[in-house]
Amino acid sequence: MTLTGGCHCEALRFEIKGDVRMRALCLCRTCQKISGGAGNLFIGLMADDFRYTRGEPRRFAKTADAPTREFCSECGVHVASRSPKAPAGLIVKVGALDDPAVFEGPQMVFWAEEKHGFHLVPDNAKVFARLPGR
Ligand SMILES: [Zn+2]
Ligand SMILES: [Zn+2]
């Protein structure tokens, strides 16, 4: 499967060749801040299946062990993140995909302990208080 996407201004474009390994929603406070408040919808991939086809992102990590967020230096839209705890993987924001419909909804919800009453959790999703395995 090939998926494409990019930032809002299109200075940053990417291509994904490979399988979607995970479909998730993260409700952690950081994702609320970055997403606009509703939480961050994303797909998980092998990092080798992802490449930028136009532009280079700016990168930011708040601390040495925090995920590095990759975003457009022109329009500021965040497209992907990499975690030092899972260096072979990468996550891509669903909103950055050219066809967000391929997402089909989250299988998993992370950081439910930071959710608010207005957040929606799908009935069939597996819900974790923080992250799986913690
Ligand atoms: Zn941009
Ligand atoms: Zn999060």
Side-chain angles (χ1 to χ4, degrees), residues 11-53:
L12 209 54
R13 294 285 300 162
F14 62 79
E15 181 179 78
I16 297 160
K17 281 189 172 155
D19 296 330
V20 173
R21 309 293 175 119
M22 176 177 65
R23 298 185 280 118
L25 164 65
C26 186
L27 294 174
C28 81
R29 188 65 188 92
T30 302
C31 284
Q32 291 176 36
K33 188 163 283 210
I34 287 166
S35 71
N40 196 357
L41 292 167
F42 59 88
I43 55 174
L45 311 164
M46 299 309 291
D48 287 346
D49 293 339
F50 175 95
R51 69 184 185 99
Y52 287 101
T53 53

Side-chain angles (χ1 to χ4, degrees), residues 22 31 40 42-45 50 67 69 78-83 89-93:
M22 176 177 65
C31 284
N40 196 357
F42 59 88
I43 55 174
L45 311 164
F50 175 95
R69 297 177 187 276
H78 168 217
V79 299
S81 295
R82 299 171 205 258
S83 170
L90 165 134
I91 64 165
V92 173
K93 286 177 69 174

